[in-house]
């Protein structure tokens, strides 16, 4: 069926004459309605939000905000709106950037009428389709059928639980534990994704001997319009276990785009795709780490029996309490435990911190470090090994704690 609906258009260019020329070109087109004009990137965002057009004709070089940035922002807020870039440069690099920002088409200036009209028609039909799809999904959501996260709708597959593995001090085994916990929790019925939230110096993929071209940064730039297919494309699959991995950006200079809000949106989205989301965190309390802790159903606080590590765990728990964090979500995992050492026993640590020690993982340099060096999680091959047994104990406690927290919520509601 032909699309006879009118196509609404916004024209963006900093030069008045250019805007006027395009407007004149379009004024005799019965199916095209110019509903707004803007002189800058910032104005383009404002006018688009006010008019929700089908198509924005966007200039690139403008004084305050360039057209590529404006394209990205408009696409993030109004995913149905299609953007056609008009530029004097026909440089493929510009084109690539424009496409990455979410532009639908790219024309060189000045466009001839036929070229312009067919681009508007293609983009307009796409806009109508996407808007219809969104309206249908919205109707389904209102009927109670679907879940909604950050503006994107899709049926939730799981009511996933988020478990962060954290320590105020580095080098105590967080990544080792996150990787092996993910492997041990994972099954076909309850799939696991493990997330590297160490935006700048993440090293999780090394524990799985996997390399990636896509990472957290790719999801962050589209955090407001995620869809399951795109997320699947970005995730890695560990070849031997099937655990999914969300890698950190491979180089620190790629790390800046991830904000706390974006990270939270990503985690909320993953919860609907996976039964468990395991997050390996940074030992500092940067904003992404804070977002990870906020999104967590459970927080595994890793400590060793070294006095400074125990002291830090305790200070951290004090800090959480001071901030009103629900400390009932926290449990301690003692790693690198050596019973010959007389420093701090698990009982003593539970006593000092007033927090459950859910698992004690022995020091084992014959198994753990060589496994890391080879990039294979130790657990699948060594299920009866004491440290693996420790991980299984941890999982039993995690499952029990999830039930306890659920029950506490029910009780609180009944009060
Ligand atoms: N239980 C353990 N026994 C022996 N070595 C361990 C144990 N847990 C972790 N390690 C080793 O300690 C080092 C730091 O571990 P890692 O998981 O990278 O810590 P973090 O993520 O907290 O910085 C690695 O070399 C790892 O192999
Ligand atoms: Mg680590």
């Amino acid at each position: 069926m032909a699309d006879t609906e009118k196509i609404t258009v916004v024209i963006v260019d900093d030069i008045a004459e250019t805007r006027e020329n395009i407007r004149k070109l379009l004024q005799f087109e019965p199916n095209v309605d110019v509903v707004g004009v803007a002189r800058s990137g910032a104005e383009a965002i404002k006018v688009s939000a006010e008019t929700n057009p089908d198509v924005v004709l966007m200039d690139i070089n403008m004084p305050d905000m360039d057209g590529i940035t404006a394209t990205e922002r408009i696409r993030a807020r109004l995913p149905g709106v299609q953007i056609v870039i008009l530029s004097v440069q026909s440089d493929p690099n510009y084109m690539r950037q424009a496409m990455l920002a979410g532009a639908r088409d790219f024309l060189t200036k000045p466009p001839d009428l036929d070229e312009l009209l067919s681009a508007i028609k293609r983009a307009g039909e796409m806009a109508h389709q996407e808007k219809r799809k969104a309206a249908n999904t919205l109707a389904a959501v209102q009927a109670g059928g679907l879940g909604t996260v950050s503006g994107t709708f899709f049926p939730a597959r799981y009511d996933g639980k988020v478990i962060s593995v954290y320590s105020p001090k580095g080098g105590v085994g967080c990544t080792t534990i996150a990787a092996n916990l993910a492997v041990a929790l994972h099954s076909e019925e309850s799939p696991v994704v493990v997330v590297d939230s160490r935006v700048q110096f993440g090293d999780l993929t090394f524990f799985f001997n996997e390399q990636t071209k896509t990472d957290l940064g790719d999801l962050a730039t589209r955090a407001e319009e995620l869809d399951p297919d795109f997320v699947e494309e970005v995730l890695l699959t560990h070849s031997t276990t099937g655990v999914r991995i969300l890698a950190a950006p491979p180089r620190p200079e790629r790390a800046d785009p991830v904000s706390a809000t974006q990270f939270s949106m990503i985690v909320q989205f993953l919860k609907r795709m996976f039964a468990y989301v395991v997050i390996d965190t940074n030992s500092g309390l940067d904003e992404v780490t804070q977002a990870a802790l906020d999104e967590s159903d459970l927080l595994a606080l890793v400590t060793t029996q070294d006095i400074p590590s125990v002291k830090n765990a305790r200070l951290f728990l004090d800090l959480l309490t001071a901030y009103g964090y629900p400390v009932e979500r926290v449990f301690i995992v003692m790693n690198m435990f050596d019973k010959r050492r007389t420093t701090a026993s698990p009982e003593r640590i539970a006593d000092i911190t007033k927090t459950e020690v859910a698992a004690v993982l022995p020091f084992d340099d014959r198994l753990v470090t060589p496994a890391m060096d080879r990039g294979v999680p130790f657990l699948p091959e060594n299920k009866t090994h004491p440290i693996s047994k420790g991980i299984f104990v941890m999982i039993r406690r995690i499952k029990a704690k999830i039930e306890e927290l659920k029950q506490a919520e029910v009780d609180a509601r009944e009060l």
Side-chain angles (χ1 to χ4, degrees), residues 91-249:
D91 182 347
N93 194 33
Y94 266 115
M95 250 182 244
R96 215 183 125 258
Q97 276 186 33
M99 293 305 166
L100 282 176
R104 172 72 41 202
D105 216 331
F106 192 101
L107 302 177
T108 41
K109 277 205 246 182
D112 66 55
L113 183 62
D114 284 348
E115 200 184 26
L116 184 65
L117 282 179
S118 62
I120 290 177
K121 189 158 172 285
R122 273 196 307 270
E125 277 171 11
M126 182 64 70
H128 291 161
Q129 249 177 43
E130 288 194 7
K131 287 178 181 178
R132 264 197 297 273
K133 216 162 64 188
N136 289 343
T137 328
L138 189 64
V141 170
Q142 281 161 348
L146 299 168
T148 145
V149 174
S150 64
T152 312
F153 306 103
F154 80 102
R157 296 173 196 159
Y158 295 92
D159 173 25
K161 297 294 173 239
V162 182
I163 306 160
S164 283
V165 184
Y166 178 81
S167 159
K169 185 172 173 286
V172 298
C174 287
T175 311
T176 306
I177 292 169
N180 285 283
L181 174 64
V183 167
L185 270 174
H186 178 78
S187 68
E188 227 168 277
E189 309 79 62
S190 56
V192 175
V193 61
V194 55
V195 176
D196 195 343
S197 75
R198 296 191 58 208
V199 179
Q200 284 194 303
F201 294 102
D203 53 4
L204 181 67
T205 52
F206 295 104
F207 286 70
F208 289 96
N209 198 19
E210 295 287 351
Q211 283 186 337
T212 183
K213 288 198 179 67
T214 48
D215 57 68
L216 185 58
D218 299 297
L219 292 190
T221 47
R222 287 176 57 176
E224 287 174 55
E225 45 168 358
L226 296 175
D227 66 74
D229 293 339
F230 177 61
V231 173
E232 293 283 2
E233 271 172 42
V234 171
L235 299 179
L236 276 168
T237 305
H238 182 224
S239 55
T240 53
T241 62
V243 166
R244 316 303 301 276
I245 305 162
L246 179 54

Side-chain angles (χ1 to χ4, degrees), residues 167 169-177 198 203 207 280 335-337 361-365 368-369 372 387:
S167 159
K169 185 172 173 286
V172 298
C174 287
T175 311
T176 306
I177 292 169
R198 296 191 58 208
D203 53 4
F207 286 70
D280 180 26
N335 191 26
M336 306 187 183
F337 186 70
L361 309 178
F363 181 81
D364 187 337
D365 58 351
V368 181
T369 306
M372 182 193 67
I387 186 163

